Amino acid sequence: MMEQSTLIKDYSTSLVKALFEKVKSIQKLNHKLTKGELRELFLNDLLVNFLTEQFGVGTGVVIDSYGNESKQTDLIIYDKRILPAIIKNSNLGTYPIESVLAVIEVKSILGKKELIKTNSNFAHLETKLKFNEKFDKNGLSIIKCIIGFNKRAISEINKDDDTWLKINAKHINAICHVQNYCWIKYPRDKGWRYSDKDKLTFEETKRFIAWTLDNARNKSNRRYKALCDRYIPWMSMYIRNNKITH
């Protein structure tokens, strides 16, 4: 049953609808790279509306203090209080893993092929990069999401595909196909939950955004508390050449 509408709910719907219309407006653009970058910028601009000042959104690679780096990542949500993007030009940069809360891949076509590839990229992020051993282990996982816009390939994923997702999307936490569906993986019961499209309120997309940002904020609070509870030489870990002793 749909709850009563409010000013904020209506405004949030209008923001998501504007994102959808912007993406539709560039479909005839032939340059795929430019079109992809524009989609990322559109989503970036939307997310900023729902984030407070301590959070940043950018694109680039996630790095660790041991010299490892992720594959190119479309959108990275990070906590600027923990560590900044040390190398950054506009929205493009390198983001220390200790500050990275969530990553989002942005796709035009979102089907099983794209999900399998993204799952592999996220597996690389989980296995190849390490949080520094000096950092408290509380809240150190990263939320990993994928969002798509094009209506092609939507029949490949339906509300009965939770078993397929358990096998093939182990490293993904949330999936959204704007104006089609949303899948969220809940770790406690280890199950995927499906939300159908809502053409009037974009509820499937608002659920994806709200779940991602709510969980990013929770991780941010745990990590920041860990930094406040004791001294951690977080900047030294990245910029000093000598062994860190204090």
Side-chain angles (χ1 to χ4, degrees):
M1 183 177 179
M2 186 174 292
E3 295 182 5
Q4 183 179 359
S5 185
T6 66
L7 171 64
I8 298 299
K9 291 175 183 177
D10 289 346
Y11 185 69
S12 299
T13 297
S14 72
L15 291 176
V16 177
K17 183 178 180 181
L19 166 69
F20 183 63
E21 295 298 332
K22 286 179 182 178
V23 171
K24 280 206 313 184
S25 72
I26 62 171
Q27 290 305 312
K28 294 182 180 180
L29 186 63
N30 291 322
H31 197 283
K32 291 184 178 181
L33 180 59
T34 300
K35 189 157 56 174
E37 290 174 343
L38 285 171
R39 283 194 300 266
E40 293 163 21
L41 287 173
F42 295 157
L43 183 56
N44 186 319
D45 291 344
L46 171 65
L47 294 176
V48 167
N49 287 280
F50 302 112
L51 289 168
T52 50
E53 288 298 319
Q54 76 262 30
F55 300 105
V57 185
T59 185
V61 297
V62 181
I63 59 172
D64 66 23
S65 59
Y66 304 100
N68 303 307
E69 61 184 59
S70 72
K71 299 181 184 296
Q72 178 76 17
T73 305
D74 293 338
L75 287 177
I76 298 168
I77 300 173
Y78 64 104
D79 190 335
K80 293 183 284 188
R81 300 172 304 174
I82 297 173
L83 278 169
I86 295 176
I87 302 174
K88 190 170 185 284
N89 186 358
S90 187
N91 285 331
L92 180 64
T94 60
Y95 301 84
I97 191 170
E98 286 80 12
S99 68
V100 174
L101 307 169
V103 293
I104 305 175
E105 287 296 302
V106 184
K107 302 294 182 183
S108 58
I109 299 173
L110 180 53
K112 291 183 176 179
K113 178 181 177 182
E114 288 74 28
L115 284 171
I116 289 171
K117 182 177 180 181
T118 299
N119 186 67
S120 175
N121 290 342
F122 287 161
H124 178 273
L125 174 63
E126 285 186 355
T127 57
K128 299 300 182 183
L129 275 75
K130 298 186 295 184
F131 289 88
N132 194 282
E133 60 186 10
K134 294 180 181 295
F135 202 99
D136 192 289
K137 302 302 179 185
N138 192 18
L140 291 189
S141 60
I142 295 174
I143 301 163
K144 298 171 287 295
C145 311
I146 181 170
I147 185 170
F149 294 93
N150 195 302
K151 287 192 175 182
R152 285 186 292 167
I154 62 171
S155 61
E156 289 193 8
I157 303 293
N158 58 60
K159 61 183 179 181
D160 299 317
D161 272 332
D162 55 318
T163 300
W164 186 91
L165 290 171
K166 286 180 181 179
I167 297 170
N168 297 283
K170 293 179 179 179
H171 303 281
I172 302 175
N173 301 109
I175 303 165
C176 179
H177 200 300
V178 178
Q179 279 287 269
N180 286 290
Y181 61 79
C182 169
W183 281 98
I184 302 292
K185 182 168 64 176
Y186 289 84
R188 289 184 180 178
D189 58 11
K190 298 181 179 179
W192 286 89
R193 296 185 185 176
Y194 176 86
S195 290
D196 209 346
K197 62 185 175 183
D198 188 317
K199 290 187 176 181
L200 293 178
T201 66
F202 289 82
E203 193 64 25
E204 79 293 330
T205 307
K206 291 195 293 183
R207 180 189 181 216
F208 172 83
I209 293 170
W211 183 90
T212 301
L213 299 187
D214 283 344
N215 280 274
R217 185 182 301 277
N218 288 339
K219 290 184 181 296
S220 167
N221 290 339
R222 291 197 296 271
R223 293 191 200 175
Y224 191 66
K225 183 179 184 300
L227 285 176
C228 294
D229 285 346
R230 64 186 180 91
Y231 174 76
I232 299 176
W234 41 269
M235 187 61 75
S236 295
M237 296 186 300
Y238 280 91
I239 70 172
R240 289 182 57 187
N241 291 90
N242 292 338
K243 183 177 180 180
I244 310 303
T245 57
H246 62 276

